[in-house]
Amino acid sequence: MSEASDGFETRRSQLTRSDLLKRAGATAFTVGMFGALPEKSLGFYGPLRYQGKQLAGELKILQWAHFVPSYDQWLDNTYIKQWGEKNDVDVKIDHINNALLFSTASSEVAAQSGHDLFQFISPPSSFQKQVVPLNDIVQEVTKKVGPMSRVGQRSTYNPRTKVFFGFPDNYAPDPVQYRRSILAAAGVSLRTWEDVRKGAPKLKAAGNPVGLGMSNEIDSNMFLISLLYCYGGFLQNEENKIVFNTGSNRKGAIEALELMRDIYRNGMSDEVFAWTAASNNQAFLAGRLSMALNAISIARSAESSGNTALSDDTWLASIPRGPVTRLGNEHVMGVYVIWKFAKNKAAAKKFLVDQQLGYREHFVRSQFYNFPAWTGAIKGGFKTIRAMTKQDTNKPRGKYTILTTIAEKYTTNVGHPGNSNAVIDEIFNRYLIPQMFAQVAQDKVKAADAVRDFTREAQGIYRKWQGQGLV
């Protein structure tokens, strides 16, 4: 997760001239690669030229402060304004620190008032009873661009209720970002997690420890659940039943917990237990870390810093392979919901459809961070996406092409092999996985006991949501 998305106060879309000048540097990436994208590509329509049409009124949107400041600048001041003028809708957008999304959503639900559209960056399955079903617009987009990605479908569809409770806008692959010179000097490979275990002591001894969090924040959450997948320690099965403490799942979970205990003891420091979503970015950009799992925020921030020695030495790789598989969660899963208490549901639905159907520019403006939830939303799908990433001129040339491989082959949803249901959402937002790993790593509990205790807690959560008819 980006350090730029943390510590932000809620902000409106209106920006001062000073704000825009400060954020202009990041825009150079887009202009340099693709040329100045014509604003007329969205069409310009004078204020309220379409009075009397289907849409009108005010549309309120809340979402996170994106790691690419120029993306929010373009979204707020170009895309949204032009979409609003075209559709006779006064669009207002707020951005907040990603760590505040869940609590802010809970407050809006409690008040039954707030925004029309609310974007989460992990599947908000526990809010299902408070949102409008979106099967209709999912079908509309699918008819026009082809099937939704598996990660998008599993993150927003409830097979029990047959409802799409959310609209998947985008997802971010989660590559390893590493200092190539440091790993090469230490003779460390990232091919498997066993390689990381063996290499961690060498990297720490060289003064560049491994950066893998075990804290109550989204980066640690996503990474640690991914590590469980690699070892076969699945929380649930395809029928969304808790199976963590049974058979091969129990064995894999114990092995993953013991692996992280060893990596921590020999290759990390105590700071990983208190990290925020910004911490691994900050430590890597300060030159301290040898590797971290993150969306491309680290690499892009290194490039924008002007520190070419660091940015040229920052390479990307797929998640290391475990004994069972090579598989990871998306780093961010952008999911919009429309609250039942929303005042402009019609405008909210059209906004989502239009955004997905024109997603190529969102991909470019986000500097390849926002992969479309419908791969066909960029004509040509992964073939086109790979060709676009090859045009990046940062060193090493073509470093971002691996994102296509990660997205296509190694990215799945939180809750794999089942759906991202309300049980998984509660486990995720209570940070039960990072807490379990931290306890084992700090020798507060044995791995087998931690798996047993976690499973008891998860089964209680399952019974609660089963009683509400959501699993």
Side-chain angles (χ1 to χ4, degrees), residues 138 141-142 144-153 167-171 173 333 355-361 363 370-388 403-409 411:
V138 166
V141 173
T142 300
K144 294 178 179 178
V145 302
M148 185 191 297
S149 63
R150 186 182 186 277
V151 65
Q153 195 268 350
F167 187 91
D169 164 59
N170 71 84
Y171 66 98
M333 185 71 233
Q355 186 179 52
Q356 196 66 206
L357 295 181
Y359 214 80
R360 181 188 176 100
E361 194 164 9
F363 180 65
N370 288 15
F371 273 63
W374 278 261
T375 306
I378 295 178
K379 189 175 181 180
F382 282 127
K383 182 178 180 180
T384 299
I385 291 172
R386 181 176 292 276
M388 293 171 71
L403 292 176
T404 310
T405 300
I406 296 171
E408 189 173 13
K409 294 183 177 181
T411 299

Side-chain angles (χ1 to χ4, degrees), residues 400-446:
Y400 291 102
T401 59
I402 196 169
L403 292 176
T404 310
T405 300
I406 296 171
E408 189 173 13
K409 294 183 177 181
Y410 305 132
T411 299
T412 190
N413 61 290
V414 178
H416 176 90
N419 292 67
S420 296
N421 53 59
V423 179
I424 299 300
D425 190 23
E426 180 170 340
I427 289 171
F428 190 88
N429 281 288
R430 287 175 55 188
Y431 301 104
L432 298 183
I433 297 294
Q435 291 167 23
M436 175 177 63
F437 272 91
Q439 289 178 334
V440 173
Q442 295 172 311
D443 287 324
K444 294 180 179 179
V445 64
K446 298 292 185 183

Side-chain angles (χ1 to χ4, degrees), residues 23-204:
R23 303 170 86 176
T27 308
F29 163 83
T30 301
V31 175
M33 279 183 51
F34 297 98
L37 290 168
E39 305 299 356
K40 66 181 181 180
S41 64
L42 293 171
F44 178 79
Y45 300 85
L48 305 181
R49 282 184 58 182
Y50 293 93
Q51 287 186 0
K53 290 279 187 175
Q54 176 185 359
L55 302 179
E58 183 179 73
L59 177 63
K60 294 181 179 180
I61 304 173
L62 185 141
Q63 58 193 72
W64 70 311
H66 201 284
F67 112 89
V68 180
S70 61
Y71 175 76
D72 280 349
Q73 175 190 331
W74 168 77
L75 181 74
D76 297 5
N77 294 282
T78 299
Y79 182 83
I80 280 176
K81 286 186 176 179
Q82 293 180 358
W83 186 90
E85 290 166 352
K86 178 179 179 180
N87 291 281
D88 282 356
V89 177
D90 180 18
V91 184
K92 291 182 171 63
I93 184 166
D94 296 315
H95 299 270
I96 63 172
N97 181 319
N98 71 82
L100 299 176
L101 289 171
F102 193 88
S103 60
T104 302
S106 298
S107 297
E108 292 199 0
V109 168
Q112 289 291 288
S113 178
H115 296 79
D116 302 290
L117 271 177
F118 197 108
Q119 186 198 43
F120 294 82
I121 57 171
S122 63
S125 313
S126 58
F127 288 97
Q128 288 179 58
K129 292 192 174 183
Q130 299 294 331
V131 303
V132 175
L134 299 177
N135 297 47
D136 53 345
I137 60 172
V138 166
Q139 292 171 3
E140 181 179 351
V141 173
T142 300
K143 287 179 180 178
K144 294 178 179 178
V145 302
M148 185 191 297
S149 63
R150 186 182 186 277
V151 65
Q153 195 268 350
R154 289 296 183 100
S155 296
T156 55
Y157 181 70
N158 186 332
R160 172 78 183 273
T161 62
K162 312 299 183 187
V163 163
F164 279 95
F165 57 85
F167 187 91
D169 164 59
N170 71 84
Y171 66 98
D174 199 12
V176 176
Q177 295 176 66
Y178 67 99
R179 296 286 301 277
R180 184 175 185 271
S181 64
I182 293 172
L183 267 70
V188 176
S189 168
L190 298 177
R191 186 178 61 87
T192 70
W193 280 112
E194 189 60 31
D195 291 332
V196 177
R197 186 206 302 258
K198 293 176 180 178
K202 300 177 184 178
L203 296 170
K204 185 177 182 180

Side-chain angles (χ1 to χ4, degrees), residues 1-6 98 211-215 217-220 271-289 291-294 297-298:
M1 188 65 56
S2 161
E3 76 283 7
S5 66
D6 291 273
N98 71 82
L212 301 172
M214 288 182 278
S215 183
E217 48 86 27
I218 190 171
D219 289 17
S220 297
E271 63 182 335
V272 300
F273 300 115
W275 272 2
T276 69
S279 297
N280 59 4
N281 294 67
Q282 294 164 347
F284 195 104
L285 295 171
R288 291 197 294 111
L289 297 182
M291 64 163 286
L293 259 75
N294 205 318
S297 52
I298 288 177

